Amino acid sequence: MTHRRRRQHAGSGALLRRPAALRASLLLAIVGACLAIASAASAAPGDVVWRDFSQRVAGGHDAYRALVVTPGGNAYVAGSTTPNPGAGLDVLVRKFSPGGKVLWQRTWAYPGRGDGLGSDMARDRRGNVIVAGSSGSSWLLLKYGADGYLEWVRHGRKPYARCELTAVTVDGAGSIYATGVATPAGLARRFFTIKYSPTGAFLWRTTLGSIAGDATGGDIVSGGGDVYVTGVFATGPETRKAAVIKYSSAGKRRWSKFYAAAPGDSARGLAVAYRSGVLVMGVGTAPGEQPDGFVVRYSPAGAEEWVATYAGAYDLGDRFNAMVVDASGRTCVTGSRWTGGADEMITLRFTALGVLEWEHALTSAAGQGSAVCRAGGGAYYSAGGTLGAVTSQDTASGLPGWQQTIAPAGYNGFHPAAVQAAGASAVYVAGWTSPDAGGEAAMLVRYRP
């Protein structure tokens, strides 16, 4: 059953007509926001403006897995939380102000269904946020208004034994597409994609199984009126290919493409982006060889236009873990190169034709780059490692503008899961850290660009 609210709209004189206590509260909030802006402006590039830790119970397991930032600097995060000692996980969603205040917090659990997890989130043009993930053995979609009102919940698994969603996207009309995996009882996992209307009406569902084992869900993006899903497709007992599938907005499968750099390659398809064509990023490992990162570009009709692979300076194994594409079609990725003793976090950019333009290695902090974004000012920001390494790269040259690691007292490192920028005014990194007392704590950090 859908519940609708009647919204009230106030004119410019509304503040003066409110009760005195409420006027004072609103004025304090405005003053606090101004002070936060002033504090951020006085910080040097790369400085931490504020950070927030959240562990609801001692020894609990709280973490942020997804992040959405608004142009005004508000930040939405989603993940999981332990609500009570000894309890399972609930889905956790929070909204933060630019100054670091928690504007609202929501948790969701389906009674008796096991752990809940918010894996990904998206924001539509009306400011609503959609969280995709799982609850026990069921897939889960939650839609919240900007004020935290739960608009609707959708979940299920039948006719499958287990379903989960790994990624979600929203098109220009507000329609919601989500992808993940569905596991029939006693059979291999299949790609699973669903579409809902903005009001939560079911529109279609489709699955696609691999020919020789499990399929693993990855990412989803809409573009050109269609939707693209990527993941890993088993083609043999030891071989995997990076898969991309194009569906129409009505759910008709237009084409499927499977990439591996060489016969026998085992590939991982990790991310997909659309910019007048579809780009798929992953990692390929030929038999007896070290892994190499790759990016493949397909035309909207499914023709392979180019492939870019990367073998780093040490040639001991390189991985791509996250990707962002700009308006000109240039692709920036982050990941790692193996030195023989440790991972070095790397950020690279390819031209619109797949030619490597620049690369930067963060040798001062071991670990893999796990997230990358592009800011309104033109710089790229990548994050990763076990010490929360964050670095900015100049758009043209790739030279670092600043780089930071974070190791808060009483906590063991920081594991970034997502990075997003609010124009040229703020950079947010979300993930989790490990308190000395045990468990995990969700962590959100705001940096000055």
Side-chain angles (χ1 to χ4, degrees), residues 66 144 150 195 205 240 248 259 308 405 422 446:
Y144 292 95
L150 180 59
K195 180 180 180 180
R205 177 188 69 203
R240 305 286 187 272
S248 72
Y259 172 80
T405 57
R446 177 181 171 178

Side-chain angles (χ1 to χ4, degrees), residues 11-413:
S12 60
L15 178 61
L16 297 179
R17 297 193 297 270
R18 297 179 187 272
L22 182 55
R23 293 202 307 268
S25 176
L26 290 172
L27 290 171
L28 285 173
I30 293 170
V31 171
C34 292
L35 289 175
I37 293 170
S39 174
S42 64
D47 281 356
V48 173
V49 178
W50 55 260
R51 60 193 182 197
D52 180 87
F53 304 95
S54 176
Q55 187 184 43
R56 297 177 68 194
V57 298
H61 299 275
D62 292 19
Y64 297 138
R65 304 287 179 179
L67 169 68
V68 168
V69 175
T70 72
N74 292 311
Y76 297 87
V77 285
S80 57
T81 181
T82 302
N84 299 295
L89 298 177
D90 290 351
V91 177
L92 173 65
V93 186
R94 284 194 177 99
K95 180 181 180 180
F96 287 83
S97 73
K101 179 182 178 181
V102 177
L103 299 177
W104 52 259
Q105 172 182 295
R106 302 292 182 266
T107 60
W108 196 91
Y110 196 90
R113 288 292 180 92
D115 288 343
L117 174 64
S119 299
D120 194 23
M121 65 192 313
R123 182 172 176 265
D124 67 18
R125 291 181 176 179
R126 295 181 177 272
N128 305 299
V129 290
I130 297 90
V131 178
S134 60
S135 177
S137 59
S138 298
W139 59 263
L140 176 67
L141 281 174
L142 305 167
K143 182 175 181 177
Y144 292 95
D147 57 0
Y149 181 83
L150 180 59
E151 302 284 349
W152 48 258
V153 179
R154 299 294 182 267
H155 56 86
R157 63 178 175 87
K158 293 181 178 180
Y160 306 103
R162 184 176 184 87
C163 292
E164 61 185 283
L165 297 176
T166 56
V168 63
T169 191
V170 182
D171 67 15
S175 297
I176 298 155
Y177 302 85
T179 193
V181 291
T183 307
L187 299 176
R189 291 180 295 180
R190 305 170 62 88
F191 290 126
F192 174 76
T193 306
I194 54 176
K195 180 180 180 180
Y196 276 83
S197 75
T199 59
F202 171 77
L203 297 178
W204 52 260
R205 177 188 69 203
T206 185
T207 63
L208 179 65
S210 65
I211 61 176
D214 286 338
T216 303
D219 202 4
I220 189 169
V221 67
S222 60
D226 299 298
V227 62
Y228 299 86
V229 174
T230 192
V232 178
F233 196 86
T235 55
E238 301 295 334
T239 57
R240 305 286 187 272
K241 290 189 177 182
V244 59
I245 307 155
K246 179 178 180 178
Y247 293 103
S248 72
S249 60
K252 180 181 179 181
R253 180 155 56 98
R254 297 194 184 278
W255 49 256
S256 304
K257 300 295 177 180
F258 307 98
Y259 172 80
D265 242 15
S266 181
R268 291 192 296 143
L270 293 171
V272 63
Y274 182 86
R275 186 70 67 177
S276 300
V278 59
L279 293 106
V280 179
M281 179 211 71
V283 180
T285 307
E289 300 292 334
Q290 299 294 334
D292 287 328
F294 65 78
V295 178
V296 184
R297 180 183 169 97
Y298 298 95
S299 73
E304 184 181 296
E305 295 183 326
W306 52 258
V307 177
T309 59
Y310 174 78
Y314 301 98
D315 198 24
L316 297 174
D318 311 287
R319 298 179 181 275
F320 292 166
N321 295 327
M323 168 178 69
V324 65
V325 181
D326 68 16
S328 67
R330 291 182 171 90
T331 306
C332 185
V333 299
T334 189
S336 67
R337 65 185 188 187
W338 179 248
T339 67
D343 279 320
E344 288 182 348
M345 179 174 154
I346 56 171
T347 305
L348 312 92
R349 191 173 78 164
F350 297 97
T351 69
L353 297 177
V355 178
L356 180 64
E357 285 188 293
W358 51 257
E359 61 179 295
H360 171 252
L362 186 59
T363 59
S364 60
Q368 299 195 17
S370 54
V372 63
C373 73
R374 187 172 183 269
Y380 293 101
Y381 298 94
S382 49
T386 58
L387 294 176
V390 181
T391 181
S392 70
Q393 280 80 38
D394 177 76
T395 301
S397 66
L399 294 174
W402 54 264
Q403 54 192 45
Q404 297 282 2
T405 57
I406 185 168
Y411 295 85
N412 296 307

